[in-house]
Amino acid sequence: MDSAIAETAPDSVQVELPVLGMTCANCALTVERALRRVPGVAEVSVNLATEQASVRYRPGQVALAEIVAAIRKAGYDVAEGVDDTSAEPIGAEHAARAAEIADRRRRALVGLIFALPTFALSMSRDLGVLEALFGASFSPAHAHAASANALINALLLLLAAPVQVFTGFPFYVHAFKALRNRTANMDVLVALGATAAFGWSLAVLLGLAQGHVYFETSALILALISVGKYLEARAKGRASEAVRRLMQLAPKTAHVIREGVERELPVSQIRIGDVVVTRPGERIAADGVVIGGHSTVDESAISGESVPRDKTLGDIVIGGTLNLSGTLRYEATRVGRETLLAQIVRLVAQAQGSKAPIQTLADRVSAVFVPAVIVVALATLVAWWTLGGDAERALINAVAVLVVACPCALGLATPTAIMVGMGKGAEHGVLFKSSIALEQLAYLKVAVFDKTGTLTQGRPSVQAVIAFGEQDPARVLQLAALAEHASEHPLAHAICAAAQARGLTLSDPDWFQALPGRGVIAVVRDGTQRVRVAVGNAMLMHVQGVTLNTAMQQQIQRLRAEGHTIAIVAVEGQAIGAIGLMDVPKPEAHDGLAALRAMGVRTIMLTGDHRQAAQAIAHRLGIDEVIAEVLPTDKAEHIARLREGLRQREGKRRTLAMIGDGINDAPALAAADVGIAMARGADIALEAADVTLVHNDVRDVARAVRLAQQTLRGVRQNLFWAFFYNVLLIPTAALGVFQEYGPILAAGAMAFSSLFVVGNSLRLRRLPLR
């Protein structure tokens, strides 16, 4: 059985089951109801667009086989294929979907081959074409007209019967299963309409009733709707291409060293600890650590970085990325379902299968839609028969009502747009955990950013070197770097890196002492001399007896006002200069925040840094508000207060997002309406937030908001069309506006309605995000 399983809690498991045979929203609701009745099932969501059932259950109370049995008992099926522990959980599902689409194509093709001649023959008789071609025998006034009509009716029966039997078979099977489960779906409406038209025509042919035959109507109803369903299935397949493209990144085989011998094995047989060899042009088979070789690897499909990254001893490689130049040997650390690629595929598939809150209305309407349509059709039949006395006209109008009603469009309106939108996001490194997150992000009003690593590079760097008096700035930096060369502090690394970047020679100090919270003192070689150097803050200078005159203090204060962290450098008790270090903003941060402000989103920085540094960064980036000097444990409380204030000002619909690194900011991310985690490569924490930005690019926040807004706009358009279509055409059909052609036009309109919804959703694939 083909399914994707993920642990969601210590006592529960979540499984994604591909369900076959669903044709409309009522089908999805039927499967949901059947699964909710199974003891041990905690949560169920069935998505018509992805044709998946997302089920969270307790293994101690119910087995997966019982869940599958409940789906089958409800009249539907589950795709068979790989074992639940397979590394490729979605492959067999796609095979089953492909087989289903091929079957729909065959039935639609047979339907058209027989239905079109049936329609042509019927219209030729009705329009007098046969009389013009073959003489007066086909004239109603001719003595042999009855025999000629009977012959034509028999021929129409022979042409329509294959459509009724072969093309209509799935509709009748699904309708029977639905009625057996005391529910009604689209198949019931189609089966009733086609059977009524065919049955009436057969009765006329056998002399049991008087009137016109409608074999062409029954045939075209089934043929046109089958064509619509086939095209709809193909369109839905294109909507899920994003997941399929991600899956195709994984190679099928890998070169694994076992017992000293290199063997080509299926990727599913790789174990943690295996040594894998990847040559140029091959894809990395599993997540791992390089233990030999050197190469460049294209990680654009995962990290979004267009520039290939060098890989050498100790570097991390990600499964699914492309090895470009050299041969790499790496030790597998995550395999199968645990690789980053498999996690992304699973997250996207689960998110696409979730339900957005906006779908609630459509679900409520769908639950009563089909029974209501049947009631309207019966009322139409009775009204026309009673008031007009014409049973034939009454039947045709009732059939038109049954066929024109489209619960499919209602069921597809939300999930198709959500599926395409999330797929588009996945292609551009924006991963939504659920459709709820996508909908809430569309209403974003306040964006709260952590500073370090989110808006800034996440590491300090030397931004300014000032020399006091006649000192040389290069000597100030070199002496500071010599003193800091033995330190492990991040500021020390930044000072040494700046010195090396300027080509200054460094060596270990002769003597070294670190003073936590103050700085370092060391004895270093300055040319031929050994000198005592102190590097640190004002407190260290005071302890060392170093005096700073007014001019020096003013220069230091200027740097501090700009947001720099200051390291004062003193030699033999005399201050010679100061170094300004700063965690500088990311190059793209300004544009990303400007894009949010252009959308009307208020930007806030929430950081533990001191206020001057935070204000300096905020001023450079144009941030609206700064909340500084906040302890990590208090960030969630600040988010809660901001969220409550937003509710009071803007109402419950407007939302607040917290953007952080997904690990250190986890409580704050959870406290926001939408938690957005920014990460890079193998460091992605997919479960840490509602939205994960793989590219670690601040501009992707605005892109995610724009994608969410456009997706929700597509949902609204789809829902409007689905409701408008049914509200307009059901009464039109009941009033008999299209007369005897009503059922045929209704079948075409029904097929078009679903295609319109899916096609409108597919437009999101062309949305420019970069």
Side-chain angles (χ1 to χ4, degrees), residues 360-614:
T360 305
L361 175 61
D363 282 350
R364 285 203 298 264
V365 173
S366 297
V368 298
F369 183 82
V370 175
V373 169
I374 293 173
V375 169
V376 172
L378 287 173
T380 301
L381 177 69
V382 172
W384 276 92
W385 201 345
T386 303
L387 299 177
D390 187 344
E392 180 181 335
R393 184 70 184 275
L395 179 68
I396 290 303
N397 290 340
V399 169
V401 170
L402 290 171
V403 175
V404 80
C406 191
C408 310
L410 279 173
L412 292 170
T414 299
T416 51
I418 294 289
M419 180 168 63
V420 176
M422 287 185 170
K424 180 74 174 180
E427 289 177 351
H428 291 272
V430 179
L431 305 178
F432 292 92
K433 186 187 283 188
S434 70
S435 53
I436 296 174
L438 184 143
E439 183 172 339
Q440 289 192 318
L441 193 60
Y443 295 110
L444 185 68
K445 192 65 178 178
V446 176
V448 183
F449 288 85
D450 176 50
K451 180 178 81 70
T452 305
T454 302
L455 294 174
T456 64
Q457 301 281 8
R459 58 185 182 277
S461 60
V462 173
Q463 296 297 307
V465 180
I466 56 175
F468 299 147
E470 300 298 322
Q471 296 293 329
D472 180 10
R475 181 171 181 260
V476 173
L477 180 61
Q478 184 174 32
L479 288 173
L482 287 167
E484 295 279 17
H485 201 243
S487 174
E488 294 298 323
H489 195 280
L491 295 181
H493 288 310
I495 291 172
C496 292
Q500 289 171 336
R502 288 165 172 78
L504 302 176
T505 303
L506 300 183
S507 60
D508 288 333
D510 295 341
W511 177 83
F512 171 83
Q513 183 182 7
L515 302 171
R518 297 181 183 182
V520 301
I521 52 176
V523 175
V524 304
R525 294 189 179 276
D526 180 18
T528 58
Q529 297 180 328
R530 297 171 73 246
V531 294
R532 182 184 177 92
V533 179
V535 183
N537 56 23
M539 188 180 297
L540 176 64
M541 297 300 113
H542 176 73
V543 172
Q544 295 293 311
V546 177
T547 302
L548 299 173
N549 62 34
T550 303
M552 294 175 183
Q553 290 179 5
Q554 288 176 345
Q555 292 182 72
I556 291 170
Q557 186 56 35
R558 177 177 56 80
L559 288 179
R560 188 172 285 120
E562 293 174 358
H564 292 84
T565 297
I566 307 300
I568 304 168
V569 184
V571 177
E572 299 296 343
Q574 298 295 318
I576 64 168
I579 298 173
L581 300 100
M582 182 185 290
D583 183 8
V584 296
K586 294 176 179 177
E588 72 280 0
H590 184 276
D591 290 343
L593 292 166
L596 285 172
R597 288 195 299 275
M599 295 178 179
V601 177
R602 180 174 176 79
T603 55
I604 298 175
M605 180 193 292
L606 182 66
T607 178
D609 281 2
H610 60 81
R611 181 163 295 279
Q612 275 189 322

Side-chain angles (χ1 to χ4, degrees), residues 12-355:
S12 67
V13 168
Q14 182 160 317
V15 61
E16 307 295 322
L17 294 170
V19 181
L20 303 178
M22 294 194 298
T23 56
C24 71
N26 275 64
C27 299
L29 293 173
T30 299
V31 175
E32 277 191 6
R33 284 194 292 266
L35 290 175
R36 285 200 177 100
R37 288 196 291 265
V38 178
V41 171
E43 193 174 310
V44 180
S45 176
V46 179
N47 189 304
L48 176 62
T50 60
E51 296 179 270
Q52 283 194 330
S54 179
V55 186
R56 188 162 59 84
Y57 70 99
R58 300 179 183 88
Q61 298 179 25
V62 62
L64 183 58
E66 295 176 77
I67 294 173
V68 173
I71 294 174
R72 288 176 175 152
K73 187 178 179 182
Y76 304 90
D77 203 359
V78 176
E80 293 289 342
V82 295
D83 182 77
D84 291 335
T85 59
S86 168
E88 297 184 55
I90 309 178
E93 176 190 347
H94 285 303
R97 300 286 184 223
E100 188 177 24
I101 290 174
D103 181 66
R104 286 185 186 276
R105 182 178 181 274
R106 282 192 300 272
R107 295 184 187 277
L109 192 60
V110 169
L112 287 176
I113 288 172
F114 285 94
L116 291 177
T118 307
F119 178 73
L121 180 59
S122 179
M123 291 299 101
S124 297
R125 178 178 60 180
D126 292 348
L127 298 175
V129 176
L130 291 180
E131 182 180 350
L133 291 175
F134 300 107
S137 298
F138 292 93
S139 171
H142 197 275
H144 300 294
S147 300
N149 276 328
L151 180 62
I152 293 174
N153 289 345
L155 187 56
L156 290 172
L157 171 63
L158 290 175
L159 289 171
V163 183
Q164 199 74 19
V165 174
F166 183 73
T167 305
F169 181 77
F171 296 104
Y172 287 107
V173 169
H174 293 143
F176 172 75
K177 289 179 178 179
L179 293 173
R180 187 182 63 188
N181 285 283
R182 298 179 182 179
T183 185
N185 59 10
M186 179 215 70
D187 299 290
V188 172
L189 298 180
V190 174
L192 280 174
T195 301
F198 189 86
W200 168 267
S201 303
L202 194 60
V204 171
L205 180 64
L206 296 175
L208 302 176
Q210 296 295 317
H212 194 281
V213 294
Y214 293 95
F215 286 120
E216 81 287 353
T217 299
S218 68
L220 278 173
I221 286 172
L222 295 172
L224 289 175
I225 293 175
S226 292
V227 170
K229 284 295 171 185
Y230 163 65
L231 295 175
E232 178 188 313
R234 282 190 57 188
K236 286 196 292 185
R238 288 199 299 273
S240 62
E241 275 180 4
V243 173
R244 204 155 44 242
R245 279 197 289 268
L246 285 172
M247 288 172 54
Q248 290 169 352
L249 294 175
K252 301 298 181 185
T253 61
H255 303 286
V256 182
I257 297 176
R258 294 268 176 89
E259 300 174 352
V261 180
E262 183 179 312
R263 303 174 182 176
E264 186 172 356
L265 299 175
V267 169
S268 59
Q269 293 183 19
I270 299 177
R271 300 191 296 261
I272 293 176
D274 276 343
V275 175
V276 185
V277 179
T278 301
R279 295 180 173 82
E282 296 177 345
R283 289 196 176 273
I284 308 293
D287 297 354
V289 178
V290 177
I291 60 173
H294 177 273
S295 182
T296 54
V297 176
D298 179 1
E299 296 184 344
S300 58
I302 301 294
S303 69
E305 292 187 24
S306 57
V307 179
R309 303 186 71 177
D310 289 334
K311 298 293 179 180
T312 187
L313 188 66
D315 287 338
I316 293 173
V317 290
I318 305 170
T321 55
L322 181 64
N323 184 25
L324 296 177
S325 56
T327 299
L328 288 176
R329 295 171 71 247
Y330 60 94
E331 181 180 332
T333 56
R334 291 192 294 190
V335 300
R337 292 179 180 275
E338 301 307 314
T339 63
L340 177 61
L341 177 62
Q343 290 182 57
I344 291 175
V345 169
R346 192 159 58 244
L347 177 71
V348 175
Q350 288 175 355
Q352 288 181 333
S354 62
K355 282 191 178 182

